[in-house]
Amino acid sequence: MNKNFRSAFENIKATKSFRDDTMEKLSKETSPELHTIDLQPVDQTKQTHMTINRIAIAACMAVIIGMSLAVPKLMNGDQASASPSVFLSATSSLTETLSPMPLPTAMNGSGSRTLSGIHFTLPDDIEDTTEILDNQTCAVMEIDDEFYFAATTRYKDQFSCYCTIYHYDLVTNSYTPISDEVYGVYVRDGRFIYSDDSGQCYSNNTKWNDEKKISRDELDYYDFDVQDDDITVIDSDHVKYSIHIDNAILDQSLLENYSIICNQVKNNKLYFNVNYHIAEGNNTSELFCINLDGSGLKKLGFEALNAVGWTRTIGTTVYMNRFVADSNTSYLYILDTNTDDVRKIGEVEGFARYFAAGSKYLVYSTDADDYFGPHILHYCPLNE
Amino acid sequence: MTVAAVDTDLVERAFDQYADMVLRIAYQNTRNQSDAEDIAQNVFIQLMRAGNFADEVHMKAWLIRVTINQCKNLKASAWYRKTTYLKEEWLPFTAEQNKVFEELWRLSTDQRNVIYLYFYEGYNAREIGELLCRNESTVSSLLNRGKRKLKQLFIEGGYPYE
């Protein structure tokens, strides 16, 4: 396929006449008369804007690079905690523009303790170690107020990785592996969901002694297809929902370049992001939901952050990270899918990758040094 | 007051290096040579107005993004929606090459762009995510579904899929 694919595209080339025609048009663009006459009055403004844009681009590029590395390698192993809550986290330098919602001091990360790093021995049969992200978490989970994390062991393919699940004991400040190496893990209804190489899914308890095969249908799986503003949702029973998004609700000043990203269906509502591309390396994102019958489209209100955002989709819950340039603070949110209220539960130092909240504690992982390095686990008390 | 000179050499070099890529992306999105060429010209005119880039990697990424956006804009225009094209091919294509495009056009726009960037331009999912403002897992999903669908289409059509 690849050979035919390349061969077909090789045929598409700029012809000489096309080149000549384009060059002629480009030369008209650079005509000194045109620019001198048309641009003189706004020249200074343009220069200023360009300077600002370049600063913004420079600032944002650093984050984009980091963002891309922060995107979880594990497609379906990054969920935290149980339904019906949806977890969100954000990083922003725009502290002054954020909601003044008062947070208990214990929730702002000041009381957090840093847990020790996680270390693994890489398998010998992995040749390209540049693709191996050792000592990194790919999920932080909570079941019955006990915390677990999944640590990356090696990549399965270009897009996904294997991991081992550990139980973290907050009392003794120690962690113990509880699982074999698994592929893709998240928590649903108090059990771990994961799969093997063949794609067979399983669930297991926290003691790892009650493995049960589960079918894809049991996973409340939804497939999404987005064509411009039209979304098709297909559930595991192959029922198809066609939804049109009226873009009047979107940010009209940013309609030049946006894309819709479906996240998850919960309570017969589709949750989706709209990502606006503002400029090179500069994106912003909003969160919406709509009933599967196409009614009730609404934007979910929480602090508008100048952010690159994404949402991770697992089971019946959604976990979202939103990050912003030149910042080292992460904002953690919970979205109640019954009421669609978004609540900030924490504000922590560092580039938060994953988090989970219990009744008393919040556990999260951050980069130790940079986007390439190992992660560190932290926890802090909630409402103590 | 003088206007800062536009770096025509840069644009010309960019054209020589990336015009084919821009045309390929535009063609697979518009399915029409004239539209693809119009879009390519607009993209390079925009490049001229955009100013300089930190490096060539950024410029190439910019060109890809702007090309895809131009295609979206074209498709969104009322004129385009009311226009029905006769099938226009970029001749000469062999039967196998035609088949590739026929099957590609049966994929969604997003799947098509992701597959092109992955197979032809050699970007990985993370990089495509950056280019298209999508998260990596979405790109992976688009890629995997696109590949599966293509494979199925090729097999159903009696063409080898390797």
Side-chain angles (χ1 to χ4, degrees):
Chain A
M1 196 286 273
N2 203 7
K3 186 182 162 192
N4 285 338
F5 187 85
R6 291 198 73 81
S7 160
F9 276 99
E10 290 289 350
N11 260 8
I12 300 175
K13 289 180 177 170
T15 60
K16 185 175 182 309
S17 62
F18 171 67
R19 188 185 191 287
D20 293 344
D21 188 39
T22 307
M23 287 304 145
E24 190 184 334
K25 285 185 176 164
L26 289 173
S27 69
K28 283 179 186 169
E29 279 289 309
T30 57
S31 151
E33 293 80 12
L34 178 68
H35 282 270
T36 305
I37 295 166
D38 291 345
L39 299 183
Q40 250 187 2
V42 294
D43 184 44
Q44 213 154 22
T45 311
K46 184 184 175 189
Q47 292 293 321
T48 309
H49 286 165
M50 285 181 70
T51 306
I52 292 170
N53 283 339
R54 284 174 186 167
I55 291 170
I57 288 168
C60 290
M61 279 313 295
V63 165
I64 289 297
I65 293 166
M67 279 290 306
S68 61
L69 292 163
V71 173
K73 294 287 181 184
L74 189 62
M75 282 190 295
N76 56 351
D78 51 7
Q79 180 47 33
S81 199
S83 62
S85 295
V86 176
F87 288 79
L88 312 119
S89 74
T91 304
S92 174
S93 61
L94 308 176
T95 311
E96 68 278 7
T97 67
L98 293 174
S99 161
M101 179 192 303
L103 294 172
T105 48
M107 288 173 63
N108 66 7
S110 60
S112 66
R113 277 199 284 157
T114 299
L115 311 185
S116 51
I118 311 155
H119 300 281
F120 298 94
T121 303
L122 297 179
D124 294 333
D125 59 344
I126 303 296
E127 292 178 3
D128 184 5
T129 55
T130 59
E131 284 292 349
I132 302 296
L133 302 176
D134 61 324
N135 307 334
Q136 294 205 339
T137 53
C138 52
V140 176
M141 300 160 280
E142 177 268 340
I143 298 176
D144 296 334
D145 265 352
E146 292 292 322
F147 289 93
Y148 304 84
F149 62 88
T152 307
T153 52
R154 60 194 172 102
Y155 273 94
K156 180 182 181 190
D157 52 39
Q158 189 178 354
F159 309 112
S160 54
C161 58
Y162 293 95
C163 61
T164 301
I165 303 169
Y166 289 75
H167 171 246
Y168 187 77
D169 188 332
L170 292 177
V171 177
T172 61
N173 199 27
S174 63
Y175 50 87
T176 314
I178 63 164
S179 76
D180 304 321
E181 191 178 57
V182 295
Y183 170 60
V185 62
Y186 65 96
V187 167
R188 195 186 70 172
D189 300 330
R191 289 174 68 87
F192 296 107
I193 309 291
Y194 54 94
S195 67
D196 62 18
D197 278 343
S198 70
Q200 172 64 52
C201 294
Y202 303 90
S203 76
N204 213 334
N205 63 5
T206 56
K207 303 292 182 191
W208 212 256
N209 60 8
D210 185 32
E211 185 174 85
K212 291 176 181 170
K213 281 188 179 181
I214 49 176
S215 70
R216 177 184 160 114
D217 290 350
E218 291 175 275
L219 291 175
D220 297 329
Y221 182 84
Y222 290 89
D223 204 0
F224 304 111
D225 189 26
V226 181
Q227 298 279 357
D228 299 325
D229 296 337
D230 294 306
I231 302 171
T232 304
V233 180
I234 304 170
D235 68 17
S236 52
D237 294 327
H238 307 293
V239 176
K240 188 181 285 189
Y241 303 88
S242 297
I243 301 169
H244 176 73
I245 304 302
D246 180 0
N247 68 19
I249 198 173
L250 307 185
D251 188 330
Q252 298 299 303
S253 66
L254 298 174
L255 281 186
E256 177 84 9
N257 187 352
Y258 68 93
S259 56
I260 291 173
I261 298 172
C262 294
N263 301 327
Q264 185 55 282
V265 173
K266 175 69 182 169
N267 294 343
N268 290 319
K269 290 177 285 188
L270 167 68
Y271 292 84
F272 63 95
N273 268 74
V274 174
N275 281 3
Y276 305 97
H277 178 68
I278 298 170
E280 178 78 17
N282 189 2
N283 300 277
T284 188
S285 175
E286 292 178 325
L287 182 64
F288 295 83
C289 80
I290 188 169
N291 297 322
L292 285 179
D293 64 6
S295 67
L297 174 63
K298 62 181 174 184
K299 184 163 81 173
L300 299 180
F302 60 106
E303 297 84 347
L305 300 173
N306 179 14
V308 174
W310 69 85
T311 304
R312 302 166 192 171
T313 304
I314 288 297
T316 55
T317 61
V318 178
Y319 172 97
M320 172 191 278
N321 279 342
R322 291 160 65 90
F323 297 97
V324 175
D326 61 10
S327 169
N328 198 33
T329 304
S330 296
Y331 300 86
L332 311 176
Y333 296 89
I334 288 179
L335 167 60
D336 184 331
T337 54
N338 290 317
T339 62
D340 291 331
D341 289 334
V342 181
R343 184 166 60 93
K344 188 196 290 185
I345 63 160
E347 184 176 320
V348 299
E349 287 300 308
F351 195 99
R353 300 279 196 147
Y354 308 96
F355 75 94
S359 62
K360 294 180 180 175
Y361 289 97
L362 170 71
V363 172
Y364 61 99
S365 64
T366 63
D367 294 336
D369 300 310
D370 55 35
Y371 306 117
F372 303 96
H375 294 172
I376 296 177
L377 281 169
H378 313 261
Y379 76 92
C380 56
L382 286 169
N383 298 320
E384 257 194 359
Chain B
M1 190 180 296
T2 58
V3 177
V6 178
D7 188 346
T8 49
D9 286 347
L10 170 89
V11 178
E12 203 164 327
R13 282 200 308 275
F15 183 90
D16 289 339
Q17 190 157 357
Y18 296 117
D20 293 349
M21 176 192 78
V22 170
L23 283 168
R24 285 165 187 151
I25 294 172
Y27 182 64
Q28 70 152 348
N29 276 281
T30 61
R31 205 173 176 172
N32 181 276
Q33 182 170 354
S34 302
D35 283 341
E37 290 183 340
D38 285 347
I39 282 171
Q41 284 185 344
N42 283 335
V43 168
F44 284 100
I45 288 169
Q46 281 197 33
L47 176 69
M48 183 160 272
R49 293 168 180 165
N52 294 319
F53 290 85
D55 54 43
E56 200 157 312
V57 174
H58 287 108
M59 184 171 71
K60 184 181 178 186
W62 184 92
L63 286 168
I64 291 171
R65 244 195 318 265
V66 171
T67 306
I68 291 173
N69 290 337
Q70 288 264 332
C71 295
K72 282 183 182 173
N73 291 346
L74 176 71
K75 285 184 177 177
S77 70
W79 172 82
Y80 187 88
R81 289 182 177 190
K82 288 175 185 170
T83 304
T84 305
Y85 275 116
L86 293 173
K87 191 172 128 186
E88 187 185 340
E89 292 164 351
W90 204 297
L91 297 173
F93 281 141
T94 64
E96 286 76 16
Q97 290 165 346
N98 262 329
K99 181 68 183 171
V100 169
F101 283 108
E102 286 298 326
E103 302 307 4
L104 266 180
W105 283 320
R106 291 169 73 175
L107 303 182
S108 72
T109 307
D110 285 340
Q111 285 174 338
R112 225 167 33 231
N113 283 322
V114 165
I115 282 199
Y116 170 81
L117 292 171
Y118 180 80
F119 276 118
Y120 199 90
E121 297 297 335
Y123 288 104
N124 63 31
R126 175 177 59 77
E127 292 164 335
I128 296 170
E130 286 177 25
L131 284 169
L132 305 183
C133 304
R134 296 292 181 92
N135 69 53
E136 185 178 359
S137 59
T138 303
V139 171
S140 301
S141 170
L142 283 169
L143 193 55
N144 289 332
R145 272 189 284 162
K147 282 196 285 189
R148 274 203 304 273
K149 195 168 171 184
L150 261 188
K151 183 175 182 179
Q152 183 189 347
L153 292 170
F154 269 78
I155 291 170
E156 284 173 359
Y159 285 84
Y161 181 93
E162 297 168 353

